[in-house]
Amino acid sequence: MRLVVTGGLGFIGSNFVRMVLAERPDWTVTNLDLVTYAGNPANLSDLAADRRYRFVKGDIGEPGDLARAFEGGADAVVHFAAESHVDRSILSAEPFVRTNVLGTMRVLEAARAQGRCRVVHVSTDEVYGALGPDDPPFTETTPLNPTSPYAASKAAADHLALAFARTHGQDVVITRCSNNYGPYQFPEKLIPLMITNAIEGKRLPVYGDGRQVRDWIHVADHCAGVLATLEKGRAGEVYNFGARSERYNLDIVSRIVAMLGVRPELVEHVADRPAHDRRYAMDAARAERELGWCPARTFEQGLADTVRWYVEHETWWRAVKDGSYRDFYRQWYEERGS
Ligand code: NAD
Ligand code: DAU
């Protein structure tokens, strides 16, 4: 298997690349990543000497950069690259449309030019919109009803991916997953922000009443689902992933406060996110049935492991939070970028 991964220096992509190289010894991986603020070469620095791994610095929106990533041929592409943070999409939607919509189209075209090349398009539960407190979880046939510019850009990308499958008979499979947490998550997202702020003794900003619900899944369980989709998913299908771990935001923050033994007064309710989705929950029965996938970790275990990871990897997140990760690694990717 000659695999191209897009966005492999980000949170989920880096966990996926490491998993694949560990679990599939005869596979090669080319990682195409633009190294935006969210792409951190430190996430995969342990692979520098692995001859099965190749890094290409480039933009999924640029056909020339995609051509370099696909040089020598590819059997499949797992497409993670995206602008991924809802709050940033509220400040400015343009980078989301450029990367998530136009970039996805270019990835589909580049894979199509290869002939036989499966595309796994990694999407999100946010394309379905918000659930009320008593609604059943989202299934793959729930109509798309995105709220934020981020979610709208991902929904547009999903439509394009399915349109390419139908129109061109292209081998495309979509995964839609709920909220991930785990090692190497950029500390702009709820769980790593709360853990690192708590360690630093900073305030813990909870949007609105903190009674929004997310369905949390450990990143390793999501990555196992993406790998199962790549190997066993039916072309033209969508697979939902989630771990049946619905939690209120405030409960998660309180749990982190207790685990780290910091003052509960650090928790501060701040202005709510505009059009904040109240609840997400995923029905992953299709993935369980067809792919033989199921999550291996409970939320309690996964969160405890994650808190420990951030405690033990203070150098990693401090460099991210003070911005020095970008200066330090500029030379790293200049040397390795092709
Ligand atoms: P992330 O923001 O941590 O990483 C994104 C990566 O993509 C970075 O390495 C960045 O440098 C790269 N990138 C951005 N624009 C690029 C471009 N134009 N060309 C090449 N590379 C580019 O994101 P994440 O949280 O790891 O999410 C990965 C994917 O999974 C996204 O598609 C996201 O929508 C989806 N997803 C995320 C979650 C979650 O909870 N984080 C849940 C479900 C689905
Ligand atoms: O559901 C999957 C999605 O999960 C992914 O597609 C996105 O890429 C990912 O960013 C994530 O989106 P959310 O908006 O759900 O995640 P975030 O970590 O930004 O916020 C989780 C919840 O916590 C949400 O209800 C907003 C709230 N929150 C977040 C932050 C950063 C706070 O209350 N305070 C905060 O400071």
Side-chain angles (χ1 to χ4, degrees):
M1 169 70 82
R2 297 162 303 169
L3 186 64
V4 170
V5 169
T6 71
L9 291 185
F11 163 48
I12 306 173
S14 61
N15 278 282
F16 180 77
V17 169
R18 189 176 293 101
M19 170 183 281
V20 160
L21 289 172
E23 294 184 9
R24 299 290 182 274
D26 53 348
W27 291 20
T28 61
V29 174
T30 297
N31 174 14
L32 174 65
D33 196 298
L34 186 57
V35 200
T36 68
Y37 81 94
N40 185 348
N43 296 1
L44 287 181
S45 53
D46 51 317
L47 297 183
D50 193 325
R51 295 170 64 86
R52 296 171 301 146
Y53 174 69
R54 181 169 76 104
F55 173 67
V56 175
K57 181 173 186 278
D59 187 343
I60 58 165
E62 294 295 335
D65 292 349
L66 281 158
R68 285 189 293 125
F70 281 87
E71 221 165 64
D75 303 304
V77 51
V78 178
H79 174 40
F80 291 101
E83 289 292 334
S84 70
H85 192 39
V86 172
D87 292 332
R88 287 179 190 259
S89 81
I90 294 167
L91 294 174
S92 169
E94 187 162 332
F96 289 76
V97 174
R98 224 189 71 75
T99 289
N100 301 2
V101 186
L102 180 66
T104 297
M105 184 201 73
R106 294 259 155 85
V107 169
L108 290 162
E109 284 177 338
R112 195 166 149 244
Q114 290 289 305
R116 288 165 58 84
C117 179
R118 161 158 280 204
V119 180
V120 178
H121 169 60
V122 179
S123 188
T124 167
D125 60 359
E126 298 204 14
V127 296
Y128 296 121
L131 291 170
D134 301 319
D135 290 337
F138 301 122
T139 69
E140 289 83 354
T141 56
T142 303
L144 305 197
N145 186 25
T147 305
S148 69
Y150 160 70
S153 69
K154 293 295 288 188
D158 287 21
H159 282 310
L160 273 174
L162 291 174
F164 270 58
R166 289 182 193 128
T167 307
H168 303 299
Q170 196 171 346
D171 182 357
V172 177
V173 200
I174 295 181
T175 63
R176 294 189 183 132
C177 190
S178 59
N179 284 64
N180 284 220
Y181 66 96
Y184 299 105
Q185 186 167 29
F186 198 90
E188 66 185 346
K189 307 283 167 61
L190 180 76
I191 288 182
L193 180 73
M194 295 301 158
I195 297 172
T196 56
N197 274 15
I199 295 172
E200 292 180 287
K202 292 184 177 161
R203 69 180 190 140
L204 308 175
V206 170
Y207 297 164
D209 63 3
R211 302 276 295 169
Q212 302 82 8
V213 172
R214 297 293 183 265
D215 179 358
W216 295 92
I217 183 170
H218 192 275
V219 64
D221 284 326
H222 180 198
C223 289
V226 172
L227 183 56
T229 306
L230 171 62
E231 295 184 317
K232 298 183 218 160
R234 278 188 291 134
E237 253 333 323
V238 176
Y239 294 92
N240 280 357
F241 292 93
R244 290 190 189 91
S245 295
E246 290 185 55
R247 299 287 186 280
Y248 290 114
N249 292 341
L250 196 54
D251 289 351
I252 292 177
V253 176
S254 303
R255 193 178 277 268
I256 290 169
V257 162
M259 280 174 173
L260 289 169
V262 297
R263 290 181 296 117
E265 295 72 36
L266 289 178
V267 177
E268 191 178 314
H269 289 266
V270 299
D272 207 350
R273 178 183 275 177
H276 196 169
D277 283 341
R278 202 67 186 163
R279 175 179 167 238
Y280 306 138
M282 288 299 250
D283 180 340
R286 175 182 288 173
E288 291 171 355
R289 192 174 59 244
E290 288 189 21
L291 308 177
W293 171 89
C294 68
R297 291 156 194 82
T298 63
F299 181 70
E300 285 61 35
Q301 184 57 52
L303 185 64
D305 291 348
T306 301
V307 169
R308 193 172 325 109
W309 190 89
Y310 281 88
V311 168
E312 289 170 358
H313 292 77
E314 205 164 315
T315 314
W316 180 87
W317 59 260
R318 281 199 187 276
V320 173
K321 283 185 118 170
D322 70 18
S324 61
Y325 73 114
R326 308 214 74 187
D327 305 330
F328 185 78
Y329 283 102
R330 188 159 292 134
Q331 197 187 345
W332 187 94
Y333 54 76
E334 271 169 12
E335 282 167 3
R336 286 164 182 79
S338 47

